[in-house]
Amino acid sequence: MLTLLRQGTLAALLICGVSLTASAASMKTGSIAEQQLRHIATYFPGRMAGSPADMLTADYLQQQLTQLGYHSDQRRFSTRYAYQHQNGEQTWRTVNATSVIAAREGKVPQQIVIMAHSDSWTPHNDTETQHNLGGLTNQGVDDNASGLGVMLELAQRLSKQPLHYSLRFVALSGEEIGHRGSEDYLSRMTPAEKHNTLLVINLDSLVIGGQLTFISGSKTPQAVARQTRDRAITLARHYGIRATTQVTSDENPFDHAGLPLLSVRASDAPSGRLSRSMALHFPPDLRHQAQRDNLAYIDRWLPGRITRRTHDAVTILLPLIHELANP
């Protein structure tokens, strides 16, 4: 088993934030995640690492998690990424990113980490900038307000449930410039914390792909993969939800570090072929484009998808995490 601008503007934004006073039990599964997704996309567009929206998003997430009773802190770190110009010149750009970490202690020190990246796409070259990939107007609905919304609903619904193992909810900035947030988080973990991390669940881009996909890390033991990835597929079938698995990879820094990993994302058919409609409206090379990854566009071309996908993700993950946290 799994043995400012800031204070004045932020106050105004939090007034119109998602209310967490209502009982989660009285709300339809996925509705909290959808509300949070839409709120984050609407009020915090352009969440590029180190931007004002990045900092405001961190403040908002910390406020939400603290309100739920979690011990929540912000972690600021300085990093840089390479930017390629059309003239062939490459420059390094320095950013000060802000991640959020919230914790609820269980009966033992072993922990399960539930993670979603909070930053939206940062253009890496002049071509991406000219094609409006990322940027200040990008709502980042799929990538990754969807992961943040689902994470916040899970945090709310698990905030009062009994825990044997501890839970960590982590919103990492700097992921869209080369997994800098993951690298910073791992660099600050002690050997004991790494040893006590039973599982990392990474929530990323849950909307646009045709079905939810559960992927174990390449270094995740098969016994853990059966309890996590395979159990998620069993739960999906039980609830009549389309879900699949994919081949593992070690691209995620947590996987590369040897921590058990379950990645959750939306993907298309295992063959990699997109339907004609999806290929037309959501071409892979423009998946970060501000004109496409926004509420109006997704609601138009994928009507009902946000509601259905947030419902499906929480429906599967909530009982899975509850089982894992209480063996």
Side-chain angles (χ1 to χ4, degrees), residues 261-281:
L261 175 69
L262 176 66
S263 292
V264 186
R265 61 184 305 116
S267 67
D268 294 291
S271 65
R273 296 180 180 177
L274 295 171
S275 67
R276 181 175 299 179
S277 175
M278 287 291 291
L280 175 64
H281 299 299

PDB file of all heavy atoms in Angstrom, residues 261-281:
ATOM      1  N   LEU A 261       4.893   9.185  -9.244  1.00  0.00           N
ATOM      2  CA  LEU A 261       4.177  10.259  -9.931  1.00  0.00           C
ATOM      3  C   LEU A 261       2.947   9.721 -10.640  1.00  0.00           C
ATOM      4  O   LEU A 261       2.989   8.655 -11.261  1.00  0.00           O
ATOM      5  CB  LEU A 261       5.100  10.928 -10.959  1.00  0.00           C
ATOM      6  CG  LEU A 261       4.484  11.994 -11.861  1.00  0.00           C
ATOM      7  CD1 LEU A 261       4.136  13.247 -11.061  1.00  0.00           C
ATOM      8  CD2 LEU A 261       5.431  12.336 -13.015  1.00  0.00           C
ATOM      9  N   LEU A 262       1.847  10.476 -10.536  1.00  0.00           N
ATOM     10  CA  LEU A 262       0.658  10.239 -11.338  1.00  0.00           C
ATOM     11  C   LEU A 262       0.313  11.548 -12.026  1.00  0.00           C
ATOM     12  O   LEU A 262      -0.098  12.508 -11.369  1.00  0.00           O
ATOM     13  CB  LEU A 262      -0.516   9.767 -10.479  1.00  0.00           C
ATOM     14  CG  LEU A 262      -1.845   9.577 -11.225  1.00  0.00           C
ATOM     15  CD1 LEU A 262      -1.746   8.429 -12.229  1.00  0.00           C
ATOM     16  CD2 LEU A 262      -2.990   9.337 -10.246  1.00  0.00           C
ATOM     17  N   SER A 263       0.494  11.613 -13.341  1.00  0.00           N
ATOM     18  CA  SER A 263       0.131  12.801 -14.103  1.00  0.00           C
ATOM     19  C   SER A 263      -1.282  12.643 -14.637  1.00  0.00           C
ATOM     20  O   SER A 263      -1.641  11.583 -15.151  1.00  0.00           O
ATOM     21  CB  SER A 263       1.104  13.013 -15.272  1.00  0.00           C
ATOM     22  OG  SER A 263       2.387  13.355 -14.802  1.00  0.00           O
ATOM     23  N   VAL A 264      -2.077  13.696 -14.499  1.00  0.00           N
ATOM     24  CA  VAL A 264      -3.462  13.686 -14.975  1.00  0.00           C
ATOM     25  C   VAL A 264      -3.606  14.836 -15.959  1.00  0.00           C
ATOM     26  O   VAL A 264      -3.331  15.988 -15.619  1.00  0.00           O
ATOM     27  CB  VAL A 264      -4.467  13.852 -13.817  1.00  0.00           C
ATOM     28  CG1 VAL A 264      -5.898  13.697 -14.334  1.00  0.00           C
ATOM     29  CG2 VAL A 264      -4.174  12.847 -12.704  1.00  0.00           C
ATOM     30  N   ARG A 265      -4.030  14.521 -17.182  1.00  0.00           N
ATOM     31  CA  ARG A 265      -4.215  15.538 -18.197  1.00  0.00           C
ATOM     32  C   ARG A 265      -5.259  15.052 -19.182  1.00  0.00           C
ATOM     33  O   ARG A 265      -5.651  13.890 -19.155  1.00  0.00           O
ATOM     34  CB  ARG A 265      -2.904  15.862 -18.899  1.00  0.00           C
ATOM     35  CG  ARG A 265      -2.267  14.720 -19.628  1.00  0.00           C
ATOM     36  CD  ARG A 265      -0.915  15.099 -20.218  1.00  0.00           C
ATOM     37  NE  ARG A 265      -0.997  16.249 -21.075  1.00  0.00           N
ATOM     38  CZ  ARG A 265      -0.382  17.399 -20.827  1.00  0.00           C
ATOM     39  NH1 ARG A 265       0.352  17.551 -19.763  1.00  0.00           N
ATOM     40  NH2 ARG A 265      -0.511  18.416 -21.663  1.00  0.00           N
ATOM     41  N   ALA A 266      -5.703  15.934 -20.040  1.00  0.00           N
ATOM     42  CA  ALA A 266      -6.604  15.543 -21.125  1.00  0.00           C
ATOM     43  C   ALA A 266      -5.769  15.322 -22.371  1.00  0.00           C
ATOM     44  O   ALA A 266      -4.856  16.082 -22.671  1.00  0.00           O
ATOM     45  CB  ALA A 266      -7.645  16.625 -21.374  1.00  0.00           C
ATOM     46  N   SER A 267      -6.075  14.248 -23.097  1.00  0.00           N
ATOM     47  CA  SER A 267      -5.349  13.961 -24.328  1.00  0.00           C
ATOM     48  C   SER A 267      -6.326  13.435 -25.362  1.00  0.00           C
ATOM     49  O   SER A 267      -7.499  13.184 -25.072  1.00  0.00           O
ATOM     50  CB  SER A 267      -4.233  12.941 -24.084  1.00  0.00           C
ATOM     51  OG  SER A 267      -4.793  11.683 -23.746  1.00  0.00           O
ATOM     52  N   ASP A 268      -5.832  13.238 -26.558  1.00  0.00           N
ATOM     53  CA  ASP A 268      -6.679  12.733 -27.629  1.00  0.00           C
ATOM     54  C   ASP A 268      -6.444  11.239 -27.805  1.00  0.00           C
ATOM     55  O   ASP A 268      -5.881  10.589 -26.934  1.00  0.00           O
ATOM     56  CB  ASP A 268      -6.416  13.532 -28.900  1.00  0.00           C
ATOM     57  CG  ASP A 268      -6.850  14.979 -28.729  1.00  0.00           C
ATOM     58  OD1 ASP A 268      -8.054  15.233 -28.639  1.00  0.00           O
ATOM     59  OD2 ASP A 268      -5.963  15.848 -28.637  1.00  0.00           O
ATOM     60  N   ALA A 269      -6.898  10.684 -28.898  1.00  0.00           N
ATOM     61  CA  ALA A 269      -6.839   9.243 -29.102  1.00  0.00           C
ATOM     62  C   ALA A 269      -5.403   8.739 -28.962  1.00  0.00           C
ATOM     63  O   ALA A 269      -4.447   9.455 -29.278  1.00  0.00           O
ATOM     64  CB  ALA A 269      -7.376   8.894 -30.482  1.00  0.00           C
ATOM     65  N   PRO A 270      -5.229   7.497 -28.462  1.00  0.00           N
ATOM     66  CA  PRO A 270      -3.875   6.943 -28.331  1.00  0.00           C
ATOM     67  C   PRO A 270      -3.083   6.990 -29.625  1.00  0.00           C
ATOM     68  O   PRO A 270      -1.861   7.064 -29.611  1.00  0.00           O
ATOM     69  CB  PRO A 270      -4.145   5.495 -27.902  1.00  0.00           C
ATOM     70  CG  PRO A 270      -5.473   5.540 -27.218  1.00  0.00           C
ATOM     71  CD  PRO A 270      -6.267   6.578 -27.964  1.00  0.00           C
ATOM     72  N   SER A 271      -3.777   6.972 -30.773  1.00  0.00           N
ATOM     73  CA  SER A 271      -3.085   7.062 -32.062  1.00  0.00           C
ATOM     74  C   SER A 271      -2.473   8.432 -32.297  1.00  0.00           C
ATOM     75  O   SER A 271      -1.629   8.611 -33.169  1.00  0.00           O
ATOM     76  CB  SER A 271      -4.073   6.765 -33.192  1.00  0.00           C
ATOM     77  OG  SER A 271      -5.075   7.773 -33.248  1.00  0.00           O
ATOM     78  N   GLY A 272      -2.918   9.413 -31.495  1.00  0.00           N
ATOM     79  CA  GLY A 272      -2.430  10.774 -31.663  1.00  0.00           C
ATOM     80  C   GLY A 272      -3.188  11.560 -32.705  1.00  0.00           C
ATOM     81  O   GLY A 272      -2.891  12.726 -32.943  1.00  0.00           O
ATOM     82  N   ARG A 273      -4.173  10.936 -33.350  1.00  0.00           N
ATOM     83  CA  ARG A 273      -4.938  11.623 -34.387  1.00  0.00           C
ATOM     84  C   ARG A 273      -6.052  12.464 -33.780  1.00  0.00           C
ATOM     85  O   ARG A 273      -6.812  11.992 -32.942  1.00  0.00           O
ATOM     86  CB  ARG A 273      -5.535  10.603 -35.356  1.00  0.00           C
ATOM     87  CG  ARG A 273      -4.493   9.816 -36.141  1.00  0.00           C
ATOM     88  CD  ARG A 273      -5.174   8.829 -37.077  1.00  0.00           C
ATOM     89  NE  ARG A 273      -4.184   8.058 -37.837  1.00  0.00           N
ATOM     90  CZ  ARG A 273      -4.505   7.087 -38.689  1.00  0.00           C
ATOM     91  NH1 ARG A 273      -5.791   6.779 -38.877  1.00  0.00           N
ATOM     92  NH2 ARG A 273      -3.554   6.434 -39.333  1.00  0.00           N
ATOM     93  N   LEU A 274      -6.127  13.690 -34.207  1.00  0.00           N
ATOM     94  CA  LEU A 274      -7.189  14.578 -33.765  1.00  0.00           C
ATOM     95  C   LEU A 274      -8.400  14.431 -34.686  1.00  0.00           C
ATOM     96  O   LEU A 274      -8.265  14.147 -35.877  1.00  0.00           O
ATOM     97  CB  LEU A 274      -6.716  16.023 -33.800  1.00  0.00           C
ATOM     98  CG  LEU A 274      -5.591  16.435 -32.842  1.00  0.00           C
ATOM     99  CD1 LEU A 274      -5.122  17.833 -33.180  1.00  0.00           C
ATOM    100  CD2 LEU A 274      -6.039  16.360 -31.412  1.00  0.00           C
ATOM    101  N   SER A 275      -9.579  14.630 -34.104  1.00  0.00           N
ATOM    102  CA  SER A 275     -10.748  14.711 -34.963  1.00  0.00           C
ATOM    103  C   SER A 275     -10.608  15.934 -35.860  1.00  0.00           C
ATOM    104  O   SER A 275      -9.842  16.855 -35.569  1.00  0.00           O
ATOM    105  CB  SER A 275     -12.019  14.833 -34.123  1.00  0.00           C
ATOM    106  OG  SER A 275     -12.038  16.083 -33.451  1.00  0.00           O
ATOM    107  N   ARG A 276     -11.341  15.956 -36.962  1.00  0.00           N
ATOM    108  CA  ARG A 276     -11.230  17.077 -37.896  1.00  0.00           C
ATOM    109  C   ARG A 276     -11.564  18.394 -37.210  1.00  0.00           C
ATOM    110  O   ARG A 276     -10.880  19.402 -37.407  1.00  0.00           O
ATOM    111  CB  ARG A 276     -12.162  16.854 -39.092  1.00  0.00           C
ATOM    112  CG  ARG A 276     -12.097  17.971 -40.128  1.00  0.00           C
ATOM    113  CD  ARG A 276     -12.932  17.645 -41.345  1.00  0.00           C
ATOM    114  NE  ARG A 276     -12.452  16.425 -42.010  1.00  0.00           N
ATOM    115  CZ  ARG A 276     -13.027  15.916 -43.098  1.00  0.00           C
ATOM    116  NH1 ARG A 276     -14.089  16.505 -43.628  1.00  0.00           N
ATOM    117  NH2 ARG A 276     -12.533  14.824 -43.649  1.00  0.00           N
ATOM    118  N   SER A 277     -12.618  18.381 -36.363  1.00  0.00           N
ATOM    119  CA  SER A 277     -13.012  19.608 -35.668  1.00  0.00           C
ATOM    120  C   SER A 277     -11.920  20.061 -34.709  1.00  0.00           C
ATOM    121  O   SER A 277     -11.578  21.238 -34.639  1.00  0.00           O
ATOM    122  CB  SER A 277     -14.329  19.387 -34.925  1.00  0.00           C
ATOM    123  OG  SER A 277     -14.667  20.531 -34.159  1.00  0.00           O
ATOM    124  N   MET A 278     -11.353  19.121 -33.944  1.00  0.00           N
ATOM    125  CA  MET A 278     -10.305  19.482 -32.989  1.00  0.00           C
ATOM    126  C   MET A 278      -9.071  20.002 -33.713  1.00  0.00           C
ATOM    127  O   MET A 278      -8.457  20.985 -33.292  1.00  0.00           O
ATOM    128  CB  MET A 278      -9.947  18.262 -32.134  1.00  0.00           C
ATOM    129  CG  MET A 278     -11.000  17.905 -31.098  1.00  0.00           C
ATOM    130  SD  MET A 278     -11.100  19.142 -29.773  1.00  0.00           S
ATOM    131  CE  MET A 278      -9.543  18.848 -28.960  1.00  0.00           C
ATOM    132  N   ALA A 279      -8.689  19.336 -34.806  1.00  0.00           N
ATOM    133  CA  ALA A 279      -7.504  19.765 -35.539  1.00  0.00           C
ATOM    134  C   ALA A 279      -7.680  21.162 -36.127  1.00  0.00           C
ATOM    135  O   ALA A 279      -6.726  21.936 -36.218  1.00  0.00           O
ATOM    136  CB  ALA A 279      -7.191  18.759 -36.654  1.00  0.00           C
ATOM    137  N   LEU A 280      -8.920  21.477 -36.505  1.00  0.00           N
ATOM    138  CA  LEU A 280      -9.196  22.784 -37.088  1.00  0.00           C
ATOM    139  C   LEU A 280      -9.180  23.882 -36.041  1.00  0.00           C
ATOM    140  O   LEU A 280      -8.578  24.941 -36.234  1.00  0.00           O
ATOM    141  CB  LEU A 280     -10.549  22.762 -37.805  1.00  0.00           C
ATOM    142  CG  LEU A 280     -11.037  24.097 -38.383  1.00  0.00           C
ATOM    143  CD1 LEU A 280     -10.094  24.584 -39.475  1.00  0.00           C
ATOM    144  CD2 LEU A 280     -12.464  23.962 -38.915  1.00  0.00           C
ATOM    145  N   HIS A 281      -9.845  23.638 -34.919  1.00  0.00           N
ATOM    146  CA  HIS A 281     -10.027  24.702 -33.928  1.00  0.00           C
ATOM    147  C   HIS A 281      -8.949  24.718 -32.843  1.00  0.00           C
ATOM    148  O   HIS A 281      -8.731  25.759 -32.206  1.00  0.00           O
ATOM    149  CB  HIS A 281     -11.402  24.565 -33.277  1.00  0.00           C
ATOM    150  CG  HIS A 281     -12.537  24.684 -34.245  1.00  0.00           C
ATOM    151  ND1 HIS A 281     -12.756  25.822 -34.987  1.00  0.00           N
ATOM    152  CD2 HIS A 281     -13.508  23.806 -34.614  1.00  0.00           C
ATOM    153  CE1 HIS A 281     -13.814  25.658 -35.758  1.00  0.00           C
ATOM    154  NE2 HIS A 281     -14.287  24.437 -35.555  1.00  0.00           N
TER     155      HIS A 281
END
